[in-house]
Amino acid sequence: MSEMKCNFIAGEWLASSNAIENRNPSDLYDVIGLFAQADKTQLETALDAARQAQRIWAATGLEARQTVLTNIGNELMERSTELGTLLSREEGKPLAEGTGEIHRAGQFFTYYAAEVLRQIGDTADSVRAGIEIDIRREPVGTVAIISPWNFPTATAVWKIAPALAFGNAVVWKPANLVPASAVALAEIIARQDLPNGLFNLVMGAGSTIGQHLIENPAIDAISFTGSVEVGKQIAVSAIGNLTKIQLEMGSKNALVVMEDGDLDIAVAAALGGAFGGTGQKCTASSRLIVHSAVHNEFVEKLSMGAAAMVVGHALKHGTQIGPVVSQNQLDENMAYMDLARAEGGEVLCGGERVSRDTEGYYMTPAVVAGTSNDWRVNREEMFAPIACVIRVDSYEEALHLVNDTHFGLTSGIITRDLARATHFRRNAKTGCVMVNLPTAGTDYHVPFGGRGSSSYGPREQGGYAVEFFTAVKTAYINAGTPS
Ligand code: NDP
């Protein structure tokens, strides 16, 4: 039995009476490690320590804070191959995607290191004579961060980095499917010159330790990424304590392919958008809305491209699509394939469980044609390498379908028509819009988020993150007259 990997609480690595084993989804005989599950007492210890440490951190000089964030970012980027390999081994995304995710996580830290020095407020004259007003931002306090398994490091980091940059303490609960990536990141943060308890890692199941965390009145703010169902539970718990929340949840992103678009760009965008990360992305292009004039040619090229994609072990050279993350996810994906057939879809390729040299959760990417936007496969988030094609006869019909969903994270259009692209950019009801690009793939220095059931609360990423991680204070100063 391997040595237990511990939680990081109040500046110490703490074991626990309870632990879980983590296995590689590309090779179920590969045990990655044994990970401690925090209990309620340990969580309370983390919260107490966080509260005290936050006061020290908020009073720490800006350059000292900046140095900490820079160091973490640089180490992540320098070790991106090593840590990316661990991430891919644990989550199942191909090595290039795992390495890229760690590098991106490093960039988030160096970006927010610079933001430390950009905390500049406003001033105003009062309507009352002789009184001046100073408006500045202060840390929000102790932040609970709850992250999903699909981007185990990047999602956590785009919350942790701004939290620390703006002077807050963090209690982080990662998804229990990806504890190894969490411990690796925590080890880097733990080595920095931070007050004990400023950053805490509490591993455990969402239904137990996660639930205790979100219900705790000692938390000032909760930043969550995951399913709509859990997001709603968090909102209900948070409102009881009037805790500030930021929720990033599901989606059902549409990519529109117009008759005037470049079909090669369209096919590349659809393949990357629908099947990158094994389709397990909140920005995945799961609805492909295609104009009838190019429908058959597009669908043929797309199916050929999907059928040619190499499904295999995440760490094997040449793999383009890794396994899905778990047995549960694979079962759900197969059930969605059955549903697509039952609703009347034509499966043009893929959607089958396949075996490889090692035992893992492998399936082939699926293209399903002849679907309707009203079907469940086009309304529910599948989080699977399954793309459903919807045929339309006009731009107006396409735009109507893009917006006919309760989600609203990303959308895209492939067109050479500037007027259409501009109209789409302004009328698609999504937080992010892509023109001649896949629906997936965003930058780190600009806001990210959606509308409807996709997001709730202030935006994440870029300078916009300041809104969630700080509280505004307005001070009135009557300096009097000089003697
Ligand atoms: P969940 O929403 O269940 O999990 C996300 C995070 O929330 C995990 O850390 C989880 O912990 C935690 N959590 C679960 N229940 C609670 C709770 N009651 N209180 C506090 N925290 C909790 O998503 P899943 O990972 O189960 O994925 C299910 C579906 O969610 C996917 O199929 C997909 O549709 C969607 N999803 C969307 C993502 C996105 O980026 N928008 C990312 C991931 C999932 P733990 O996992 O340890 O139980």
Side-chain angles (χ1 to χ4, degrees), residues 295-296 298-300 302-304 307 337 345-350 365-370 387 389:
H295 176 274
N296 292 356
F298 171 80
V299 157
E300 192 187 329
L302 178 71
S303 306
M304 277 170 56
M337 285 307 301
E346 185 189 353
V347 179
L348 298 181
C349 70
V367 176
V368 184
V389 182

Side-chain angles (χ1 to χ4, degrees), residues 87 90-93 101 147-153 155 174-178 181 225-226 277 279-281 324-326 329 383:
L87 193 161
E90 170 171 73
E91 197 271 351
K93 63 183 68 177
E101 179 174 341
S147 54
W149 47 263
N150 62 331
F151 281 94
T153 306
T155 308
N176 238 357
L177 280 170
V178 286
S181 302
T225 298
Q280 301 170 143
K281 285 186 186 178
V324 303
V325 75
S326 65
Q329 195 71 40
F383 237 53

Side-chain angles (χ1 to χ4, degrees), residues 37 145-151 155 158 173-177 204-214 224-231 233-234 237 248-251 280-283 325 329 332-333 381-384 409 448 454:
Q37 303 287 279
I145 290 177
I146 300 179
S147 54
W149 47 263
N150 62 331
F151 281 94
T155 308
W158 76 54
K173 196 215 85 65
N176 238 357
L177 280 170
S207 55
T208 54
I209 206 72
Q211 189 66 35
H212 291 318
L213 179 58
I214 60 174
F224 163 84
T225 298
S227 61
V228 176
E229 192 193 355
V230 173
Q233 283 175 40
I234 289 177
S237 299
E248 286 300 334
M249 301 167 285
S251 59
Q280 301 170 143
K281 285 186 186 178
C282 53
T283 50
V325 75
Q329 195 71 40
E332 263 181 38
N333 296 356
E381 183 175 46
M382 295 190 272
F383 237 53
L409 186 55
F448 173 74
S454 291

Side-chain angles (χ1 to χ4, degrees), residues 28-52:
L28 303 182
Y29 291 99
D30 176 22
V31 177
I32 297 166
L34 193 64
F35 297 88
Q37 303 287 279
D39 59 32
K40 206 174 167 188
T41 309
Q42 290 177 328
L43 177 65
E44 298 286 347
T45 306
L47 289 169
D48 286 348
R51 251 192 146 56
Q52 290 174 35

Side-chain angles (χ1 to χ4, degrees), residues 91-106:
E91 197 271 351
K93 63 183 68 177
L95 184 55
E97 292 183 30
T99 303
E101 179 174 341
I102 298 289
H103 188 82
R104 174 53 60 93

Side-chain angles (χ1 to χ4, degrees), residues 180-200:
S181 302
V183 169
L185 175 62
E187 282 171 354
I188 296 174
I189 300 176
R191 270 192 272 106
Q192 308 304 319
D193 187 12
L194 291 174
N196 285 343
L198 187 78
F199 169 82
N200 303 271

